[in-house]
Amino acid sequence: MGAPQLKQSPEESKQKNANDICREQASNELFFAVVGHIGSGTSTISEKLKKELETADEPYEVVIRSARTAITTWAKNNGCSIDSIAGIDLIKQLQDRGDSMRELDLAAVAKVLVSEIKQVRTAAINPSASTPVLPDGKRRAYIIDSLKHPAEVYLLRHVYGSAFTLIGIVVADEETRIVRVKNKLKLSAADENSKKEVINLLERDRDSGKKHGQRVADTFHLADYFLDNTADAEDPVNYEIPDQLSRLIKIITHSEIMRPTSDETAMFVANGASLQSACLSRQVGACIVNADGDLVSTGKNEPPQAGGGVYTQQDNNSTVPTTCDGRCGFLSMPANSAGGHFQGCSNINEQNTIIEKILAELPELNEPSKKEDNKRKIREGSIGDLLEFSRAVHAEMTALLVAAKTGRVTQGCRMFVTTFPCHYCARHIVCAGIDEVQYIEPYPKSKALSLHFDAITSNRGDWTPPSQVDKTLLAAKSAMMLHNAVSEKKVSEIEFSKLFSKVQKKVLFRPFTGVAPRLYGRVFRQDRKLKDKLTGEKKIQLPEWSDPWYIGKISYIELEALLSGEQK
């Protein structure tokens, strides 16, 4: 006997199912923002993204909105208009006005941009409307150039949800950005004073030191997709921006089957390792892969555990139970020589001990009325940059030690780490024979590049992996000897040395590019059928339910009413 058939009235049979109702409420709108340091080319990327969206298989209507215009409008409305100046002075004034906007509301610039997007939609659908206009289902995209503060990202993500994508623009070489800024402002290339001013602009842009100031370094690592804009458009061999943007659009629209690169998978694994960390300062994860992209080891930042490895969260049924949890958030340790116990960050605790000693040795700084202020000032200086009193084994070191403990070879491997390595880890990375390090979040305290300039580079141009240098030189020398044997024009050893003087053994530290870990699972999960079930022919279909970039036209309260039949 088959399952009983429920009888439906003619009116009930006409009713739409839940999936149909949800699909009808799709706005079909996308929201993008770009973030990058001054000189990274955010405006250029915005324009190229616009072109890619307008020429996609299913094109979008695209509008670019500028944070610069939002700041200028706000300044005018608040009686502090931007002066009719140009060059560096104009950029400084825009920075000042942006800071003023964020003093009362850290997301103030993004609020203005949200208002502008609302106005653009209204003008496109119903210009005479006096109330908010709902999206009409037409494909539209809005691009914001560019964000400067983390609060702006958080607000836009909160408002636009999964339909929002932040694109981070990478130009690792600061000198390249300096040259671009000087060229754009028509400054003399030889003028050292103007170069210093540009460097000051870049530093303020990276981190002004104010909570409400520009903080591009903190904003950048929140990106969903990273692009490398180091090469100039005039360099067709190395300029990859159109291809990188095209890939992003294909990922979003599912016009083609797209899957992660080995780099994206490695960084996703590193990010997963970071989430295991209970460090009170920051969660960091590292992943080592070999030349084929195969996993060698992972690591996270935690204190070491006797017997090998670092402390980790214990399962209830663990076969190796631990007698204590030595992670900093759970372990009490001696606070000082006088006794007492302290639960927290050992590094800051030791820094404070040093500061107290300095104040004790300098009575003029230890006056009760000035002591707390002096402690704060000292902490904000070089004392606050000390790293060596942390109990944690850094993620990079954990990954290297796990590889050694399990007999894995690290020479010729690559490391992916969520945060730029500190100088302690950097020397061990070099010593372990790692060829390349990719990272997402910067770490200003690190002195890796300055202390190990002989062994580490951030310049990808003419770089040869250290594990391949000897092979490269040997092959070149064999080619030279063959050339000398058959040619009348001989190449001398001196000429050979000059020719290959740039081939040095240096580990490359470079920013990660591609799909960020935060987006990895959402975009690469197979959420739709990719073939015809009967013929087996490849056929990319719509997802059974909503698209990963879905955002509805209406609120969830209104959607509840629709699904309940209370509203039509």
Side-chain angles (χ1 to χ4, degrees), residues 9 21-22 60 84 127 162 205 208 222 239 278 285 349 354 374 377 419 488-489 496 549:
S9 68
I21 292 172
C22 292
Y60 286 78
S84 50
S162 59
D205 181 62
S208 69
L222 299 175
Y239 190 65
N349 186 45
I354 293 172
N374 287 334
K377 288 178 180 177
T419 301
E488 293 182 3
K489 187 176 180 181
F496 175 82
W549 267 265

Side-chain angles (χ1 to χ4, degrees), residues 478-509:
S478 297
M480 180 198 77
M481 293 172 68
L482 179 62
H483 170 83
N484 286 349
V486 299
S487 174
E488 293 182 3
K489 187 176 180 181
K490 309 293 183 183
V491 178
S492 69
E493 289 286 344
I494 294 176
E495 289 173 317
F496 175 82
S497 297
K498 287 181 179 178
L499 188 62
F500 288 94
S501 60
K502 292 183 179 180
V503 182
Q504 300 176 1
K505 284 188 177 181
K506 287 193 175 185
V507 181
L508 177 64
F509 279 36

Side-chain angles (χ1 to χ4, degrees), residues 444-478:
K445 289 183 180 182
S446 177
K447 298 186 182 299
L449 293 174
S450 58
L451 289 176
H452 302 289
F453 62 91
D454 60 312
I456 298 174
T457 181
S458 61
N459 187 359
R460 294 178 68 182
D462 297 323
W463 173 74
T464 301
S467 63
Q468 300 299 314
V469 167
D470 291 340
K471 295 177 184 177
T472 301
L473 292 175
L474 184 61
K477 196 153 191 175
S478 297

Side-chain angles (χ1 to χ4, degrees), residues 64-169:
I64 297 177
R65 279 293 170 263
S66 167
R68 175 172 178 165
T69 304
I71 292 170
T72 302
T73 301
W74 177 89
K76 183 179 180 181
N77 293 338
N78 286 271
C80 52
S81 297
I82 306 295
D83 298 333
S84 50
I85 52 178
I88 287 179
D89 291 334
L90 173 60
I91 296 177
K92 287 179 180 177
Q93 199 164 82
L94 285 166
Q95 289 178 327
D96 290 339
R97 299 294 185 267
D99 288 359
S100 297
M101 282 184 76
R102 288 185 289 263
E103 275 196 90
L104 296 177
D105 185 346
L106 294 178
V109 177
K111 274 176 66 177
V112 173
L113 290 163
V114 167
S115 177
E116 289 185 7
I117 288 173
K118 181 179 75 70
Q119 292 168 16
V120 168
R121 183 187 299 110
T122 300
I125 299 173
N126 186 2
S128 61
S130 57
T131 56
V133 173
L134 293 180
D136 56 4
K138 191 170 183 177
R139 291 177 179 274
R140 291 189 175 88
Y142 308 88
I143 302 171
I144 295 173
D145 172 29
S146 62
L147 304 186
K148 299 290 185 181
H149 195 283
E152 297 161 2
V153 180
Y154 296 135
L155 176 65
L156 293 169
R157 280 210 175 111
H158 188 80
V159 174
Y160 300 121
S162 59
F164 174 75
T165 303
L166 179 63
I167 301 174
I169 314 301

Side-chain angles (χ1 to χ4, degrees), residues 180-199:
R180 286 180 181 176
V181 173
K182 292 182 77 170
N183 289 341
K184 185 175 182 178
L185 299 179
K186 296 180 172 58
L187 301 173
S188 169
D191 186 352
E192 286 300 316
N193 287 330
S194 65
K195 180 176 180 178
K196 289 178 183 177
E197 286 194 87
V198 170
I199 290 173

Side-chain angles (χ1 to χ4, degrees), residues 19 34 39 133 135 170 294 296 304 353 361 391 452 539 566:
N19 199 352
V34 293
V133 173
V170 173
D294 299 325
V296 172
T353 301
E361 292 166 1
R391 295 179 62 245
H452 302 289
K539 183 180 179 182
E566 300 168 6

Side-chain angles (χ1 to χ4, degrees), residues 402-424:
V402 167
K405 190 170 68 169
T406 55
R408 305 290 183 87
V409 175
T410 55
Q411 189 147 17
C413 288
R414 297 184 299 151
M415 178 180 284
F416 293 77
V417 60
T418 55
T419 301
F420 187 96
C422 74
H423 40 277
Y424 293 123

